[in-house]
Amino acid sequence: MDSGQPQRITKDGIHLHAPEDFAGMHKAGRLAATILDRVAPEVVPGQTTGKLDQLIQGMVEEAGATSATIGYRGYQHASCISLNHVVCHGIPGAPIPPSKYEKRPRGNDMLVDGDILNIDVTVVVDGWFGDTSRMFVAGTPKPFAQRLIQVTHDALMIGIEAVRPGNTFGDIGAAIQSFAEGQRMSVVRDFCGHGLGRVFHAPPNVLHYGRAGTGPMLEEGMFFTIEPMLNLGRPETKVLADDWTAITRDKALSAQFEHSVGVTADGVDIFTLSPAGKFHPT
Ligand code: MF3
Ligand code: CO
Ligand code: CO
């Protein structure tokens, strides 16, 4: 940093960014969201997850940006693509793991009618990280899948509404959890949101459950993601032998939406809004 400004870090290790840092996050966040906007029409039955990732990687390169995930802890792809009962970190191009709705493994990475999938993209623009994910549907979703998607999207936005100076991280988690469980869905505990900025994953862990009034206080200049994963069945997950793909233990459907946000003087700034207004699929 050459701004001459002192680095400000809270006692919980959370970076407090300067007002001028918001512009960098907006640029990175807008690119990540634009890439998801542009990939949306490609999500159709017969498409493969490997091809979707290639398209995403091409868009990152075309923008002169970098993928944050390629080379991250040995991960080799520009996106995570998580289908049906995959909770997160699904690997593009890998055979889709069999769900409880399928009699036998698919054995390939091709989408079929009714699949629901999360695509998660993180890009680096001028050193700033933009991290966002949203749900897509191949063909026509089952009504229960559509409802899971709607509730998960609403849960994220309800969590974001709790972001303002003076509230705590526990307020965000409590808002998400009480809404989700009130809709008879469960909240995944094994994965969380995270601080970000000039780094991909930084303090704090942003839990999507918890008690109001607990956890660190929100302060102007904090940048972090909120990325709740909701399940139609139980909350427990397990990671497959590839060491990445996390699925629901009961193999029931899971959904996730993710925004990168910043705390402003009186509320929240969402860095990853969809320029095309396509964040929500339906
Ligand atoms: N984008 C994911 C997140 O929301 C992280 C993916 S890491 C990867 O934090 F290596 F799996 F791509
Ligand atoms: Co994230
Ligand atoms: Co992400």
Side-chain angles (χ1 to χ4, degrees), residues 31-241:
L31 175 62
T34 300
I35 288 171
L36 292 183
D37 286 348
R38 289 177 60 195
V39 85
E42 311 296 334
V43 180
V44 289
Q47 179 64 277
T48 66
T49 63
K51 176 72 184 179
L52 291 172
D53 186 69
Q54 280 176 20
L55 291 170
I56 291 166
Q57 192 177 333
M59 293 180 214
V60 175
E61 285 164 11
E62 180 191 314
T66 316
S67 163
T69 54
I70 297 174
Y72 177 78
R73 298 189 180 195
Y75 196 78
Q76 295 178 1
H77 307 275
S79 62
C80 296
I81 304 186
S82 304
L83 262 87
N84 299 330
H85 65 306
V86 178
V87 173
C88 62
H89 302 163
I91 300 176
I96 292 159
S99 78
K100 75 175 194 183
Y101 311 98
E102 287 169 294
K103 289 196 178 61
R104 60 186 82 81
R106 249 177 248 186
N108 60 33
D109 65 335
M110 196 177 287
L111 303 179
V112 302
D113 186 53
D115 278 339
I116 66 167
L117 51 151
N118 175 278
I119 306 183
D120 190 337
V121 173
T122 311
V123 297
V124 192
V125 179
D126 302 333
W128 295 101
F129 285 69
D131 184 4
T132 186
S133 80
R134 61 178 92 144
M135 295 303 292
F136 298 84
V137 179
T140 312
K142 299 277 182 292
F144 60 89
Q146 195 153 13
R147 181 155 176 277
L148 172 66
I149 291 172
Q150 179 70 50
V151 171
T152 306
H153 176 267
D154 292 349
L156 168 61
M157 299 318 287
I158 284 167
I160 291 175
E161 280 172 28
V163 177
R164 76 181 75 96
N167 274 4
T168 69
F169 280 95
D171 292 332
I172 300 172
I176 291 169
Q177 181 182 11
S178 67
F179 173 72
E181 292 178 354
Q183 301 292 316
R184 306 184 62 79
M185 317 241 165
S186 66
V187 177
V188 169
R189 309 284 204 275
D190 301 338
F191 300 92
C192 58
H194 49 92
L196 83 173
R198 288 191 174 277
V199 290
F200 194 173
H201 293 113
N205 287 333
V206 180
L207 307 183
H208 305 113
Y209 61 93
R211 280 194 12 242
T214 63
M217 196 75 89
L218 298 170
E219 293 181 51
E220 183 178 356
M222 289 180 175
F223 295 166
F224 53 88
T225 72
I226 306 179
E227 46 184 302
M229 288 140 274
L230 268 56
N231 299 345
L232 278 183
R234 295 193 48 81
E236 291 81 13
T237 70
K238 74 171 177 194
V239 176
L240 298 183

Side-chain angles (χ1 to χ4, degrees), residues 14-37:
I14 306 169
H15 193 110
L16 301 177
H17 296 84
E20 59 268 26
D21 295 342
F22 283 72
M25 288 300 286
H26 268 289
K27 209 169 155 193
R30 189 182 317 112
L31 175 62
T34 300
I35 288 171
L36 292 183
D37 286 348

